[in-house]
Amino acid sequence: MIDLFRRIAPIADELGALFAGHGHELAVVGGSVRDVFLGRIGNDLDLTTDARPERVLEIVGGWADSIWTIGIDFGTVGVRKGGWLLEITTYRSEAYDAKSRKPEVVYGDTLESDLARRDFAVNAMAVRLPGHEFVDPYGGLADLDAKVLRTPGTPEQSFEDDPLRMLRAARFASQLGFTVDPAAVAAMTAMAGRIEIVSAERIRDELDKMICGAGPREGLGLLVDTGLAAHVLPELPKLRLEIDEHHRHKDVYEHSLIVLEQAIAQEAAGPDRVLRWAALLHDIGKPKTRRYEEGGRVSFHHHEVVGAQMAKKRLTELRFPKDVVSDVARLVELHLRFHGYGTGEWTDSAVRRYVRDGGHLLDRLHKLTRADCTTRNRRKAQALSRTYDELEQRIARLADEEELAKMRPELDGNEIQEALGIGPGPVVGKAWKFLLDLRLDKGVLGKDAAREALLEWAREQGLTG
């Protein structure tokens, strides 16, 4: 540990000496200590102290490059010093009462009492500053070696104090690849309903971190198995009951997890939250649209449209940003569009419309469509892949020829008004849509041909003499 800690020691020791000089304790704590042992040292540190927040502000006032107090109501003062971001939190304990959605913060007086209220033993380790005394009263280092998540005290008391810790267990299982102690899993199962007291924003943050972790399948599986998903993401466990129309998978739930994993495998620059959420939720409309057909088949007609509405509703209730909600819902709506054109040759018009509909999500739509192929029939999978390869090649060719990304009518609003001899109004919008459809169907015609087509359309509509 000495070698691992050496990198952060200068800044930590400097700050520890500063606090000691003012008669206060300071320690590196929690995830920062855990990550040192995991070799994941970044430029941010979590620290804890016996000094109250107002006193922390006085101590760091002349030392820090900048200070922020957005978390001061919860005892946290943020500090930037050089390239380091430091969060200094007063020793504390926090708990919910039966009717509150926000934790009540109570300050503590000792490092040991602060560690006792931590979520898991691997996060209940500390290093006192500036002397580097390692403090591990709950066996966090042994748990780290065993890759297990165990609460410092009884899991029932821990989850009663802060129900969000049940979601953190799933999140850490995803991020770290750890298993959860059976006693904690049992408590999560028994206390799943307690999660409803937690605010949507805090639940969203944990779910999002889990989805963007290294192995979200493990975390999602834990949520479903314990019953927590029924309270925070109820659409997911409902998929377990739905057998897909080709009987290719155990259920749609398993299919969705495979699609998520296959989408992740296509990421090129780190976690893509929009792609991952769309992959997980792409089939959530199936339970509502299931129909039994002749011959024992099951259909899910228009499940993409229903699913898009459901995804929008769920993510909105979880307080996701509007752009994330819109993008995920749109991908869910479009995820079957490729299959709607069959396996035959795509017309240029169909390709243009596919690009237009995909818009700024086109690259993600490519990845989601490819990820959605989970058939075990290798020949069929290869045929689908080849067909999509051909589609992407067609898109690239037309993009070069016609600037598909800038696709719009060849006449703008002013030119439409001039050609038709009209002023602003709803007719201009109808004419614009006609010209856009013409552009999609025929490609680039040139302004003269577009104007002639517009005039012919106007005559058919009875808009000219």
PDB file of all heavy atoms in Angstrom, residues 288-313:
ATOM      1  N   LYS A 288     -47.172  -5.759 -23.292  1.00  0.00           N
ATOM      2  CA  LYS A 288     -48.462  -5.123 -23.564  1.00  0.00           C
ATOM      3  C   LYS A 288     -49.009  -5.462 -24.945  1.00  0.00           C
ATOM      4  O   LYS A 288     -50.198  -5.246 -25.206  1.00  0.00           O
ATOM      5  CB  LYS A 288     -48.331  -3.596 -23.423  1.00  0.00           C
ATOM      6  CG  LYS A 288     -48.248  -3.111 -21.994  1.00  0.00           C
ATOM      7  CD  LYS A 288     -48.358  -1.602 -21.929  1.00  0.00           C
ATOM      8  CE  LYS A 288     -48.392  -1.111 -20.486  1.00  0.00           C
ATOM      9  NZ  LYS A 288     -48.540   0.361 -20.402  1.00  0.00           N
ATOM     10  N   THR A 289     -48.154  -5.940 -25.839  1.00  0.00           N
ATOM     11  CA  THR A 289     -48.594  -6.178 -27.208  1.00  0.00           C
ATOM     12  C   THR A 289     -48.635  -7.663 -27.572  1.00  0.00           C
ATOM     13  O   THR A 289     -48.867  -8.009 -28.730  1.00  0.00           O
ATOM     14  CB  THR A 289     -47.659  -5.452 -28.197  1.00  0.00           C
ATOM     15  OG1 THR A 289     -46.309  -5.916 -28.009  1.00  0.00           O
ATOM     16  CG2 THR A 289     -47.704  -3.951 -27.984  1.00  0.00           C
ATOM     17  N   ARG A 290     -48.428  -8.530 -26.618  1.00  0.00           N
ATOM     18  CA  ARG A 290     -48.394  -9.968 -26.913  1.00  0.00           C
ATOM     19  C   ARG A 290     -49.758 -10.459 -27.385  1.00  0.00           C
ATOM     20  O   ARG A 290     -50.789 -10.188 -26.776  1.00  0.00           O
ATOM     21  CB  ARG A 290     -47.962 -10.757 -25.674  1.00  0.00           C
ATOM     22  CG  ARG A 290     -47.914 -12.254 -25.920  1.00  0.00           C
ATOM     23  CD  ARG A 290     -47.323 -13.014 -24.750  1.00  0.00           C
ATOM     24  NE  ARG A 290     -48.059 -12.797 -23.511  1.00  0.00           N
ATOM     25  CZ  ARG A 290     -47.823 -13.470 -22.386  1.00  0.00           C
ATOM     26  NH1 ARG A 290     -46.853 -14.374 -22.355  1.00  0.00           N
ATOM     27  NH2 ARG A 290     -48.531 -13.208 -21.298  1.00  0.00           N
ATOM     28  N   ARG A 291     -49.739 -11.180 -28.495  1.00  0.00           N
ATOM     29  CA  ARG A 291     -50.946 -11.793 -29.043  1.00  0.00           C
ATOM     30  C   ARG A 291     -50.625 -13.229 -29.456  1.00  0.00           C
ATOM     31  O   ARG A 291     -49.566 -13.498 -30.006  1.00  0.00           O
ATOM     32  CB  ARG A 291     -51.450 -11.018 -30.273  1.00  0.00           C
ATOM     33  CG  ARG A 291     -51.864  -9.589 -29.989  1.00  0.00           C
ATOM     34  CD  ARG A 291     -53.132  -9.519 -29.143  1.00  0.00           C
ATOM     35  NE  ARG A 291     -53.544  -8.127 -28.946  1.00  0.00           N
ATOM     36  CZ  ARG A 291     -53.111  -7.349 -27.969  1.00  0.00           C
ATOM     37  NH1 ARG A 291     -52.222  -7.826 -27.094  1.00  0.00           N
ATOM     38  NH2 ARG A 291     -53.535  -6.109 -27.859  1.00  0.00           N
ATOM     39  N   TYR A 292     -51.540 -14.136 -29.195  1.00  0.00           N
ATOM     40  CA  TYR A 292     -51.364 -15.530 -29.595  1.00  0.00           C
ATOM     41  C   TYR A 292     -51.991 -15.726 -30.973  1.00  0.00           C
ATOM     42  O   TYR A 292     -53.165 -15.412 -31.178  1.00  0.00           O
ATOM     43  CB  TYR A 292     -51.987 -16.460 -28.566  1.00  0.00           C
ATOM     44  CG  TYR A 292     -51.283 -16.421 -27.237  1.00  0.00           C
ATOM     45  CD1 TYR A 292     -51.804 -15.679 -26.184  1.00  0.00           C
ATOM     46  CD2 TYR A 292     -50.088 -17.101 -27.044  1.00  0.00           C
ATOM     47  CE1 TYR A 292     -51.155 -15.630 -24.960  1.00  0.00           C
ATOM     48  CE2 TYR A 292     -49.428 -17.058 -25.823  1.00  0.00           C
ATOM     49  CZ  TYR A 292     -49.965 -16.319 -24.788  1.00  0.00           C
ATOM     50  OH  TYR A 292     -49.308 -16.270 -23.590  1.00  0.00           O
ATOM     51  N   GLU A 293     -51.203 -16.258 -31.893  1.00  0.00           N
ATOM     52  CA  GLU A 293     -51.648 -16.451 -33.266  1.00  0.00           C
ATOM     53  C   GLU A 293     -51.897 -17.937 -33.533  1.00  0.00           C
ATOM     54  O   GLU A 293     -51.590 -18.812 -32.714  1.00  0.00           O
ATOM     55  CB  GLU A 293     -50.585 -15.919 -34.243  1.00  0.00           C
ATOM     56  CG  GLU A 293     -50.103 -14.511 -33.938  1.00  0.00           C
ATOM     57  CD  GLU A 293     -51.139 -13.447 -34.239  1.00  0.00           C
ATOM     58  OE1 GLU A 293     -52.196 -13.795 -34.815  1.00  0.00           O
ATOM     59  OE2 GLU A 293     -50.910 -12.273 -33.880  1.00  0.00           O
ATOM     60  N   GLU A 294     -52.456 -18.222 -34.707  1.00  0.00           N
ATOM     61  CA  GLU A 294     -52.686 -19.605 -35.103  1.00  0.00           C
ATOM     62  C   GLU A 294     -51.359 -20.349 -35.219  1.00  0.00           C
ATOM     63  O   GLU A 294     -50.332 -19.767 -35.565  1.00  0.00           O
ATOM     64  CB  GLU A 294     -53.416 -19.646 -36.450  1.00  0.00           C
ATOM     65  CG  GLU A 294     -54.842 -19.129 -36.384  1.00  0.00           C
ATOM     66  CD  GLU A 294     -55.543 -19.271 -37.723  1.00  0.00           C
ATOM     67  OE1 GLU A 294     -54.942 -19.871 -38.643  1.00  0.00           O
ATOM     68  OE2 GLU A 294     -56.684 -18.796 -37.847  1.00  0.00           O
ATOM     69  N   GLY A 295     -51.402 -21.628 -34.929  1.00  0.00           N
ATOM     70  CA  GLY A 295     -50.196 -22.429 -35.026  1.00  0.00           C
ATOM     71  C   GLY A 295     -49.287 -22.310 -33.819  1.00  0.00           C
ATOM     72  O   GLY A 295     -48.146 -22.770 -33.838  1.00  0.00           O
ATOM     73  N   GLY A 296     -49.776 -21.670 -32.745  1.00  0.00           N
ATOM     74  CA  GLY A 296     -48.981 -21.566 -31.531  1.00  0.00           C
ATOM     75  C   GLY A 296     -47.969 -20.435 -31.522  1.00  0.00           C
ATOM     76  O   GLY A 296     -47.173 -20.312 -30.591  1.00  0.00           O
ATOM     77  N   ARG A 297     -47.983 -19.601 -32.573  1.00  0.00           N
ATOM     78  CA  ARG A 297     -47.037 -18.492 -32.621  1.00  0.00           C
ATOM     79  C   ARG A 297     -47.503 -17.352 -31.717  1.00  0.00           C
ATOM     80  O   ARG A 297     -48.679 -17.229 -31.396  1.00  0.00           O
ATOM     81  CB  ARG A 297     -46.872 -17.982 -34.045  1.00  0.00           C
ATOM     82  CG  ARG A 297     -46.235 -18.988 -34.991  1.00  0.00           C
ATOM     83  CD  ARG A 297     -45.977 -18.371 -36.361  1.00  0.00           C
ATOM     84  NE  ARG A 297     -44.889 -17.414 -36.306  1.00  0.00           N
ATOM     85  CZ  ARG A 297     -45.029 -16.099 -36.386  1.00  0.00           C
ATOM     86  NH1 ARG A 297     -46.239 -15.571 -36.479  1.00  0.00           N
ATOM     87  NH2 ARG A 297     -43.988 -15.304 -36.347  1.00  0.00           N
ATOM     88  N   VAL A 298     -46.541 -16.557 -31.322  1.00  0.00           N
ATOM     89  CA  VAL A 298     -46.810 -15.378 -30.506  1.00  0.00           C
ATOM     90  C   VAL A 298     -46.308 -14.163 -31.265  1.00  0.00           C
ATOM     91  O   VAL A 298     -45.201 -14.177 -31.814  1.00  0.00           O
ATOM     92  CB  VAL A 298     -46.116 -15.464 -29.137  1.00  0.00           C
ATOM     93  CG1 VAL A 298     -46.414 -14.220 -28.299  1.00  0.00           C
ATOM     94  CG2 VAL A 298     -46.557 -16.715 -28.396  1.00  0.00           C
ATOM     95  N   SER A 299     -47.111 -13.113 -31.329  1.00  0.00           N
ATOM     96  CA  SER A 299     -46.695 -11.890 -32.022  1.00  0.00           C
ATOM     97  C   SER A 299     -46.665 -10.715 -31.048  1.00  0.00           C
ATOM     98  O   SER A 299     -47.319 -10.742 -30.001  1.00  0.00           O
ATOM     99  CB  SER A 299     -47.636 -11.581 -33.186  1.00  0.00           C
ATOM    100  OG  SER A 299     -48.928 -11.225 -32.701  1.00  0.00           O
ATOM    101  N   PHE A 300     -45.910  -9.721 -31.415  1.00  0.00           N
ATOM    102  CA  PHE A 300     -45.790  -8.496 -30.605  1.00  0.00           C
ATOM    103  C   PHE A 300     -45.863  -7.286 -31.528  1.00  0.00           C
ATOM    104  O   PHE A 300     -44.970  -6.443 -31.557  1.00  0.00           O
ATOM    105  CB  PHE A 300     -44.472  -8.486 -29.829  1.00  0.00           C
ATOM    106  CG  PHE A 300     -44.262  -9.663 -28.928  1.00  0.00           C
ATOM    107  CD1 PHE A 300     -43.526 -10.761 -29.353  1.00  0.00           C
ATOM    108  CD2 PHE A 300     -44.804  -9.681 -27.659  1.00  0.00           C
ATOM    109  CE1 PHE A 300     -43.330 -11.850 -28.531  1.00  0.00           C
ATOM    110  CE2 PHE A 300     -44.618 -10.766 -26.819  1.00  0.00           C
ATOM    111  CZ  PHE A 300     -43.877 -11.858 -27.255  1.00  0.00           C
ATOM    112  N   HIS A 301     -46.943  -7.190 -32.301  1.00  0.00           N
ATOM    113  CA  HIS A 301     -47.060  -6.134 -33.302  1.00  0.00           C
ATOM    114  C   HIS A 301     -47.027  -4.747 -32.661  1.00  0.00           C
ATOM    115  O   HIS A 301     -47.704  -4.481 -31.679  1.00  0.00           O
ATOM    116  CB  HIS A 301     -48.343  -6.301 -34.113  1.00  0.00           C
ATOM    117  CG  HIS A 301     -48.375  -7.575 -34.909  1.00  0.00           C
ATOM    118  ND1 HIS A 301     -47.352  -7.936 -35.763  1.00  0.00           N
ATOM    119  CD2 HIS A 301     -49.300  -8.566 -34.977  1.00  0.00           C
ATOM    120  CE1 HIS A 301     -47.649  -9.097 -36.338  1.00  0.00           C
ATOM    121  NE2 HIS A 301     -48.824  -9.503 -35.858  1.00  0.00           N
ATOM    122  N   HIS A 302     -46.219  -3.874 -33.258  1.00  0.00           N
ATOM    123  CA  HIS A 302     -46.081  -2.476 -32.825  1.00  0.00           C
ATOM    124  C   HIS A 302     -45.492  -2.344 -31.425  1.00  0.00           C
ATOM    125  O   HIS A 302     -45.681  -1.319 -30.767  1.00  0.00           O
ATOM    126  CB  HIS A 302     -47.423  -1.737 -32.901  1.00  0.00           C
ATOM    127  CG  HIS A 302     -48.074  -1.812 -34.250  1.00  0.00           C
ATOM    128  ND1 HIS A 302     -47.467  -1.344 -35.401  1.00  0.00           N
ATOM    129  CD2 HIS A 302     -49.282  -2.322 -34.641  1.00  0.00           C
ATOM    130  CE1 HIS A 302     -48.262  -1.551 -36.430  1.00  0.00           C
ATOM    131  NE2 HIS A 302     -49.361  -2.147 -36.009  1.00  0.00           N
ATOM    132  N   HIS A 303     -44.786  -3.369 -30.970  1.00  0.00           N
ATOM    133  CA  HIS A 303     -44.199  -3.249 -29.629  1.00  0.00           C
ATOM    134  C   HIS A 303     -43.141  -2.153 -29.575  1.00  0.00           C
ATOM    135  O   HIS A 303     -42.868  -1.609 -28.498  1.00  0.00           O
ATOM    136  CB  HIS A 303     -43.610  -4.592 -29.178  1.00  0.00           C
ATOM    137  CG  HIS A 303     -42.306  -4.958 -29.810  1.00  0.00           C
ATOM    138  ND1 HIS A 303     -42.214  -5.706 -30.959  1.00  0.00           N
ATOM    139  CD2 HIS A 303     -41.018  -4.673 -29.448  1.00  0.00           C
ATOM    140  CE1 HIS A 303     -40.945  -5.878 -31.274  1.00  0.00           C
ATOM    141  NE2 HIS A 303     -40.200  -5.267 -30.376  1.00  0.00           N
ATOM    142  N   GLU A 304     -42.551  -1.807 -30.719  1.00  0.00           N
ATOM    143  CA  GLU A 304     -41.548  -0.742 -30.713  1.00  0.00           C
ATOM    144  C   GLU A 304     -42.181   0.624 -30.428  1.00  0.00           C
ATOM    145  O   GLU A 304     -41.577   1.472 -29.751  1.00  0.00           O
ATOM    146  CB  GLU A 304     -40.778  -0.722 -32.035  1.00  0.00           C
ATOM    147  CG  GLU A 304     -41.515  -0.212 -33.253  1.00  0.00           C
ATOM    148  CD  GLU A 304     -42.465  -1.228 -33.878  1.00  0.00           C
ATOM    149  OE1 GLU A 304     -42.716  -2.286 -33.261  1.00  0.00           O
ATOM    150  OE2 GLU A 304     -42.970  -0.946 -34.983  1.00  0.00           O
ATOM    151  N   VAL A 305     -43.400   0.840 -30.924  1.00  0.00           N
ATOM    152  CA  VAL A 305     -44.090   2.109 -30.680  1.00  0.00           C
ATOM    153  C   VAL A 305     -44.538   2.194 -29.219  1.00  0.00           C
ATOM    154  O   VAL A 305     -44.328   3.205 -28.538  1.00  0.00           O
ATOM    155  CB  VAL A 305     -45.305   2.260 -31.626  1.00  0.00           C
ATOM    156  CG1 VAL A 305     -46.069   3.543 -31.304  1.00  0.00           C
ATOM    157  CG2 VAL A 305     -44.847   2.251 -33.082  1.00  0.00           C
ATOM    158  N   VAL A 306     -45.143   1.119 -28.737  1.00  0.00           N
ATOM    159  CA  VAL A 306     -45.566   1.069 -27.328  1.00  0.00           C
ATOM    160  C   VAL A 306     -44.349   1.155 -26.417  1.00  0.00           C
ATOM    161  O   VAL A 306     -44.358   1.873 -25.403  1.00  0.00           O
ATOM    162  CB  VAL A 306     -46.357  -0.223 -27.063  1.00  0.00           C
ATOM    163  CG1 VAL A 306     -46.669  -0.363 -25.571  1.00  0.00           C
ATOM    164  CG2 VAL A 306     -47.642  -0.239 -27.879  1.00  0.00           C
ATOM    165  N   GLY A 307     -43.288   0.446 -26.775  1.00  0.00           N
ATOM    166  CA  GLY A 307     -42.081   0.468 -25.964  1.00  0.00           C
ATOM    167  C   GLY A 307     -41.447   1.842 -25.879  1.00  0.00           C
ATOM    168  O   GLY A 307     -40.930   2.235 -24.825  1.00  0.00           O
ATOM    169  N   ALA A 308     -41.485   2.590 -26.970  1.00  0.00           N
ATOM    170  CA  ALA A 308     -40.932   3.943 -26.959  1.00  0.00           C
ATOM    171  C   ALA A 308     -41.685   4.828 -25.973  1.00  0.00           C
ATOM    172  O   ALA A 308     -41.090   5.612 -25.226  1.00  0.00           O
ATOM    173  CB  ALA A 308     -40.987   4.545 -28.361  1.00  0.00           C
ATOM    174  N   GLN A 309     -43.011   4.689 -25.961  1.00  0.00           N
ATOM    175  CA  GLN A 309     -43.816   5.464 -25.014  1.00  0.00           C
ATOM    176  C   GLN A 309     -43.504   5.063 -23.570  1.00  0.00           C
ATOM    177  O   GLN A 309     -43.406   5.925 -22.679  1.00  0.00           O
ATOM    178  CB  GLN A 309     -45.300   5.255 -25.314  1.00  0.00           C
ATOM    179  CG  GLN A 309     -45.737   5.764 -26.685  1.00  0.00           C
ATOM    180  CD  GLN A 309     -47.131   5.299 -27.075  1.00  0.00           C
ATOM    181  OE1 GLN A 309     -47.689   4.390 -26.460  1.00  0.00           O
ATOM    182  NE2 GLN A 309     -47.700   5.913 -28.100  1.00  0.00           N
ATOM    183  N   MET A 310     -43.344   3.771 -23.343  1.00  0.00           N
ATOM    184  CA  MET A 310     -43.041   3.277 -21.995  1.00  0.00           C
ATOM    185  C   MET A 310     -41.654   3.730 -21.545  1.00  0.00           C
ATOM    186  O   MET A 310     -41.460   4.111 -20.382  1.00  0.00           O
ATOM    187  CB  MET A 310     -43.133   1.761 -21.968  1.00  0.00           C
ATOM    188  CG  MET A 310     -44.535   1.216 -22.184  1.00  0.00           C
ATOM    189  SD  MET A 310     -44.565  -0.589 -22.367  1.00  0.00           S
ATOM    190  CE  MET A 310     -43.966  -1.107 -20.745  1.00  0.00           C
ATOM    191  N   ALA A 311     -40.686   3.678 -22.461  1.00  0.00           N
ATOM    192  CA  ALA A 311     -39.332   4.117 -22.111  1.00  0.00           C
ATOM    193  C   ALA A 311     -39.320   5.598 -21.756  1.00  0.00           C
ATOM    194  O   ALA A 311     -38.674   6.018 -20.788  1.00  0.00           O
ATOM    195  CB  ALA A 311     -38.381   3.835 -23.274  1.00  0.00           C
ATOM    196  N   LYS A 312     -40.050   6.375 -22.536  1.00  0.00           N
ATOM    197  CA  LYS A 312     -40.117   7.816 -22.262  1.00  0.00           C
ATOM    198  C   LYS A 312     -40.730   8.078 -20.890  1.00  0.00           C
ATOM    199  O   LYS A 312     -40.226   8.905 -20.118  1.00  0.00           O
ATOM    200  CB  LYS A 312     -40.943   8.508 -23.347  1.00  0.00           C
ATOM    201  CG  LYS A 312     -41.028  10.014 -23.191  1.00  0.00           C
ATOM    202  CD  LYS A 312     -41.785  10.642 -24.362  1.00  0.00           C
ATOM    203  CE  LYS A 312     -41.839  12.153 -24.217  1.00  0.00           C
ATOM    204  NZ  LYS A 312     -42.563  12.787 -25.360  1.00  0.00           N
ATOM    205  N   LYS A 313     -41.789   7.362 -20.570  1.00  0.00           N
ATOM    206  CA  LYS A 313     -42.461   7.541 -19.279  1.00  0.00           C
ATOM    207  C   LYS A 313     -41.545   7.138 -18.126  1.00  0.00           C
ATOM    208  O   LYS A 313     -41.416   7.872 -17.134  1.00  0.00           O
ATOM    209  CB  LYS A 313     -43.741   6.705 -19.243  1.00  0.00           C
ATOM    210  CG  LYS A 313     -44.554   6.838 -17.960  1.00  0.00           C
ATOM    211  CD  LYS A 313     -45.855   6.050 -18.081  1.00  0.00           C
ATOM    212  CE  LYS A 313     -46.727   6.234 -16.833  1.00  0.00           C
ATOM    213  NZ  LYS A 313     -46.133   5.628 -15.640  1.00  0.00           N
TER     214      LYS A 313
END
